[in-house]
């Protein structure tokens, strides 16, 4: 595929409105090859598609959230009708742009896990831009014997950066095991890099824990504490209080309570099920930059207003 072929295919499709089948006939290629030509033209910047959607820019949620929680930035993707996965992909594309804008030579970049982070990695893979940074996971448990790549490795591959792995579980059986693993030289090397984080990108999760995952005792504690969400296996309630110390002592992950002190701390989440987790994370002070969609952000603002006391504090 040479440059002129990319330009010709793009002009025929976007400027002249030719079908992909007609373009394939003119270029002497197959229709799937035309599709790949058009995708590559977008990836290389030959084609720039600009959709004017003023919804996000005009949403009052941006200023409301920044003002209420002292955020560095709030980025809103459009909410697309249909399956939540569609909007999540839009949020992932926006998060990829935000992340690219934060990368500086020599930076240590920590990547979390979850569907929104995976969507961000996928968007980065579409328009790879090299960056001289080091990418590390923010939590243990990221390895697989299959072909699927872990989120932090996908991000590293997309920006042609080295990745440092953490060969340890994210959640272990007891505090003694956690301490022993963290003392291991290989794990300790990543823990030391956590102290040098310049950028942290992570998902804001809902209450997806189960008794089989965390144990019956911890599951009961989480239920009793009214935990609404978690960040890096650190659960919190709607008022932003981190709960269940017994679980924290078993986790091998960057301490979510320190996220607010990372120079660039980017939390990503979208969808109706993430409204309460996002609000809890904001009240916990772990998010400095929020990436979500318009409808979710506006629902967070509405819930925030509905659960504040006249004095300004969160209602019990």
């Amino acid at each position: 595929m040479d440059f002129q072929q990319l330009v010709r295919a793009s002009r025929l499709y976007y400027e002249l409105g030719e079908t992909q089948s007609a373009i394939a006939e003119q270029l002497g290629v197959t229709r799937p090859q035309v599709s790949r030509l058009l995708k590559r033209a977008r990836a290389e910047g030959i084609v720039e598609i600009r959709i004017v959607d003023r919804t996000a820019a005009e949403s009052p949620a941006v200023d409301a959230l920044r003002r209420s929680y002292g955020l560095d930035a709030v980025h809103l993707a459009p909410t697309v009708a249909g399956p939540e996965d569609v909007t999540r992909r839009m949020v992932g594309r926006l998060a990829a742009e935000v992340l690219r804008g934060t990368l500086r030579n020599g930076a240590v970049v920590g990547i979390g896990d979850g569907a929104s982070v995976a969507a961000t990695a996928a968007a980065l893979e579409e328009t790879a831009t090299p960056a001289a940074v080091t990418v590390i996971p923010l939590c243990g448990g990221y390895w697989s014997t299959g072909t699927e790549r872990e989120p932090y490795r996908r991000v590293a591959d997309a920006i042609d950066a080295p990745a440092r792995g953490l060969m340890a579980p994210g959640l272990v059986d007891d505090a003694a095991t956690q301490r022993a693993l963290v003392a291991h030289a290989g794990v300790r090397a990543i823990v030391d890099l956590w102290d040098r984080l310049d950028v942290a990108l992570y998902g804001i999760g809902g209450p997806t824990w189960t008794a089989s995952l965390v144990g019956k005792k911890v599951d009961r504690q989480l239920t009793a504490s009214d935990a609404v969400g978690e960040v890096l296996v650190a659960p919190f309630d709607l008022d932003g209080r981190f709960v269940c110390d017994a679980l924290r002592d078993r986790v091998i992950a960057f301490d979510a309570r320190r996220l607010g002190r990372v120079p660039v701390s980017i939390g990503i989440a979208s969808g109706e099920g993430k409204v309460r987790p996002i609000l809890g994370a904001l009240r916990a002070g772990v998010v400095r930059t929020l990436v979500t969609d318009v409808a979710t952000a506006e629902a967070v603002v509405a819930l925030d207003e509905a659960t504040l006391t006249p004095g300004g504090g969160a209602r019990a």
Side-chain angles (χ1 to χ4, degrees), residues 148-161:
E148 184 178 351
R149 303 284 284 171
E150 304 93 331
Y152 79 96
R153 291 193 187 278
R154 293 176 62 190
V155 169
D157 289 347
I159 60 177
D160 195 23

Side-chain angles (χ1 to χ4, degrees), residues 71-76 91-104 108-113 116-117 120 124 138 155 197-205 230-232 254 256 258-269 278 281-282 285-292:
L71 302 181
D72 295 336
V74 176
H75 300 275
L76 302 185
V91 171
R93 287 177 177 271
L94 180 57
E97 293 178 12
V98 173
L99 178 61
R100 275 195 295 264
T102 69
L103 301 181
R104 301 291 182 270
V108 176
V109 180
I111 304 295
D113 197 12
S116 294
V117 175
T120 304
L124 283 169
L138 290 174
V155 169
L197 275 181
D198 297 293
V199 180
L201 177 95
Y202 52 89
I204 301 171
E230 58 88 19
V231 169
L232 302 178
F254 182 81
R258 296 169 53 199
L259 282 169
R261 299 195 292 272
V262 177
V264 180
S265 177
I266 306 170
I268 320 167
I278 290 173
L282 291 173
V286 302
V287 180
R288 296 185 62 168
T289 295
L290 176 65
V291 184
T292 185

